[in-house]
Amino acid sequence: MVPSSPGGYWHRGSGFMVASVLALVGAGVLLRLPQLAMEYGGGAFLCVYIGFLLLVAWPLLTTEWLFGRVMRQDLAGALHADISARGASRIWMLIAALMLLAPLVVASYYAVIAGWNVAFLLRASSGALAGADPENPSVLFLAVAQDAERTLAWFTIMVVACGVIAARGIRGGIETTARGLLWGVLLLLALLALAVARRGDWAAALQPWAGWNWSALGWRGILEALRQALFSAGLGLGMMAAYAGYLPERARLLRSAAAVLALSTLLAVVGGSLVMGLLADAPQRLQGQMPALFVAPVVVAAEQGWRVVPAAIYLVVVALAVASIIALMEPLVQFLMARKRCTRVYAVTAVGFAIWFMGLLTVLTFGSTALGELGGRSVFGWLQIFALRLGAPLAILLLLIYVGRVWTRAELDAALRGREGPGDPQRVGRRANFVRFMLVYPTRVAVIAAMLYGLGLVDLLIRFWSPN
């Protein structure tokens, strides 16, 4: 059932894991995770979050890798052939459509965010942040974000840089870059740890996880933990399926998925804790601050007069954003190479232009020529809703239903073992039974709950039934 990879394989299994870990941490997890923990019970939230990683994200990430390895580098074409061979409904092609479109949308505004971080990096390095108002640091962010011309310039530079890396291929570009980015991130985190040690404020670093306030968790905290677990695993965005297309047949998916989730969570917790450790009264200072990743280093620079430490924070975010953007580009790059029979350079160039034009919507949303609102939300807000709250959850929901219902147990077992053919129904292993059970029962309910909550339907139902 598992075909060979026409595009080659990862040079080493560790290269695949490093690229996956960096892509999953991304640019928005470092401070979002500790902020959620501070709001919903500290250690209680972290415990529930880890539980969802094990019960929901682990089998789903394994399934997405499994799907990508079976489909290889022609997700849409291979899925269409599989559907036709089984006589299944063409509605399942929506899986491929969402896994190709959702990452394009996310990559477009990720590149804008990465460009903002580069702009702040230069300001931090030059000492320009030292004169900022630490009590109202978001003013500086808005001044940068609303400068449409400079935002467009940095955004364009980030798209070109990520395109150059992706065009060099899976081994010479993505894998090599991922290793370099990992070492860079680890060195920068070590620098931040030294800065926290210098301040002697380890209590602030551990504050997000302090205490086990289960009463503060509540049903909302549980659903936030579930959404964050799905978001942290990049589920439904197609990038993990694309990376799995270069995995060898004998790769152990369950074990690798557990390791990647554990390492990405550890990196996010450590990185977020170190940033918090550099902030005095972090919960109050970041309360209500939407661009927390930009605000935190501004506060550090204004209060401590440091240049290197704020620059290090921005560098970490840029490195993680680059890893995510490259991964998000890969599904469409593979699609164009397979369907149009074009070279990788041509495919990357076309995807880069698509990301650039899509990113203009985000640039104009914040720029001086800001686009108007629709239904009380900005264009940027609607893009996030489509990609992260609707498109990605719907894609993973359809995927797990397809694998759980259309594929037989024997086929699932053969795919997990990396074997060709339909498999032996009499020799289905425990791994296949475990994955199928998780796909059929708890994970469907979890994904539906997260999608309804992310779309605001849960709050709408509560307001409808509330006696007040």
Side-chain angles (χ1 to χ4, degrees):
M1 187 174 182
V2 179
S4 59
S5 171
Y9 300 97
W10 295 90
H11 182 251
R12 296 177 182 177
S14 60
F16 163 74
M17 295 185 64
V18 167
S20 298
V21 167
L22 293 177
L24 292 183
V25 173
V29 179
L30 285 182
L31 283 183
R32 177 167 170 77
L33 188 58
Q35 281 184 294
L36 288 173
M38 287 188 296
E39 185 176 355
Y40 295 108
F45 176 86
L46 182 61
C47 182
V48 173
Y49 172 74
I50 293 176
F52 280 131
L53 286 178
L54 291 173
L55 296 176
V56 179
W58 184 26
L60 289 184
L61 180 58
T62 303
T63 303
E64 190 163 343
W65 281 354
L66 179 70
F67 186 74
R69 189 174 65 174
V70 169
M71 299 302 167
R72 289 303 184 189
Q73 281 84 54
D74 187 7
L75 180 63
L79 179 60
H80 182 269
D82 192 61
I83 291 172
S84 300
R86 299 174 188 276
S89 172
R90 290 179 177 267
I91 191 65
W92 299 114
M93 286 300 298
L94 187 58
I95 299 173
L98 291 172
M99 283 191 171
L100 291 175
L101 185 57
L104 174 66
V105 174
V106 177
S108 68
Y109 62 75
Y110 256 37
V112 177
I113 294 173
W116 285 335
N117 274 276
V118 174
F120 275 96
L121 169 62
L122 295 179
R123 285 166 171 76
S125 303
S126 65
L129 299 183
D133 181 7
E135 299 302 324
N136 196 15
S138 60
V139 172
L140 186 60
F141 164 75
L142 292 176
V144 173
Q146 291 175 353
D147 189 340
E149 292 183 1
R150 292 186 180 181
T151 295
L152 181 61
W154 289 119
F155 160 60
T156 303
I157 290 173
M158 291 307 305
V159 173
V160 172
C162 293
V164 170
I165 295 172
R168 292 178 59 86
I170 194 70
R171 289 191 178 185
I174 298 176
E175 185 171 353
T176 302
T177 301
R179 292 181 184 277
L181 290 176
L182 177 63
W183 283 111
V185 168
L186 293 179
L187 289 174
L188 291 170
L189 291 181
L191 175 62
L192 296 182
L194 290 176
V196 173
R198 178 183 174 184
R199 291 193 59 185
D201 203 358
W202 289 105
L206 299 177
Q207 185 178 2
W209 329 109
W212 294 81
N213 190 355
W214 292 97
S215 60
L217 181 65
W219 65 267
R220 190 177 297 276
I222 293 175
L223 288 178
E224 287 286 358
L226 174 59
R227 279 191 64 218
Q228 187 63 30
L230 295 176
F231 175 74
S232 300
L235 298 173
L237 291 176
M239 58 182 183
M240 290 295 100
Y243 274 2
Y246 302 105
L247 279 174
E249 290 80 357
R250 296 296 181 180
R252 299 180 178 181
L253 300 185
L254 269 173
R255 182 181 300 180
S256 297
V260 165
L261 288 175
L263 292 174
S264 60
T265 302
L266 178 62
L267 186 60
V269 169
V270 171
S273 299
L274 291 176
V275 174
M276 289 296 182
L278 295 170
L279 293 168
D281 59 347
Q284 294 76 21
R285 193 64 58 83
L286 294 181
Q287 187 69 29
Q289 296 283 358
M290 182 273 290
L293 282 173
F294 306 95
V295 168
V298 172
V299 174
V300 173
E303 291 187 342
Q304 305 297 323
W306 288 341
R307 296 187 183 185
V308 176
V309 173
I313 298 175
Y314 290 125
L315 271 175
V316 170
V317 176
V318 170
L320 296 175
V322 167
S324 295
I325 294 169
I326 294 171
L328 291 166
M329 294 176 70
E330 194 60 27
L332 271 174
V333 170
Q334 290 183 355
F335 172 77
L336 290 178
M337 292 174 63
R339 307 303 293 175
K340 302 300 181 181
R341 306 296 181 184
C342 61
T343 64
R344 185 175 185 87
V345 173
Y346 180 89
V348 169
T349 302
V351 173
F353 273 110
I355 291 175
W356 189 85
F357 281 108
M358 181 74 69
L360 289 178
L361 296 175
T362 301
V363 174
L364 295 176
T365 297
F366 289 89
S368 57
T369 57
L371 299 177
E373 292 187 348
L374 178 64
R377 294 183 182 274
S378 66
V379 175
F380 175 69
W382 283 113
L383 290 176
Q384 285 189 307
I385 288 178
F386 166 76
L388 297 180
R389 299 186 183 186
L390 178 61
L394 182 58
I396 199 64
L397 178 63
L398 292 174
L399 173 63
L400 65 90
I401 294 176
Y402 183 79
V403 174
R405 176 181 295 180
V406 178
W407 287 7
T408 66
R409 291 179 183 268
E411 289 174 328
L412 183 60
D413 181 74
L416 282 170
R417 297 175 183 271
R419 295 176 177 174
E420 295 188 8
D424 186 356
Q426 304 300 321
R427 300 184 62 183
V428 176
R430 289 178 296 178
R431 292 178 297 178
N433 287 326
F434 166 74
V435 172
R436 186 180 179 86
F437 173 82
M438 297 302 295
L439 297 185
V440 171
Y441 295 103
T443 52
R444 296 185 188 181
V445 176
V447 174
I448 292 174
M451 184 166 61
L452 294 179
Y453 177 70
L455 293 173
L457 297 180
V458 173
D459 289 316
L460 181 63
L461 289 174
I462 290 176
R463 288 197 299 269
F464 179 77
W465 289 106
S466 175
N468 296 325

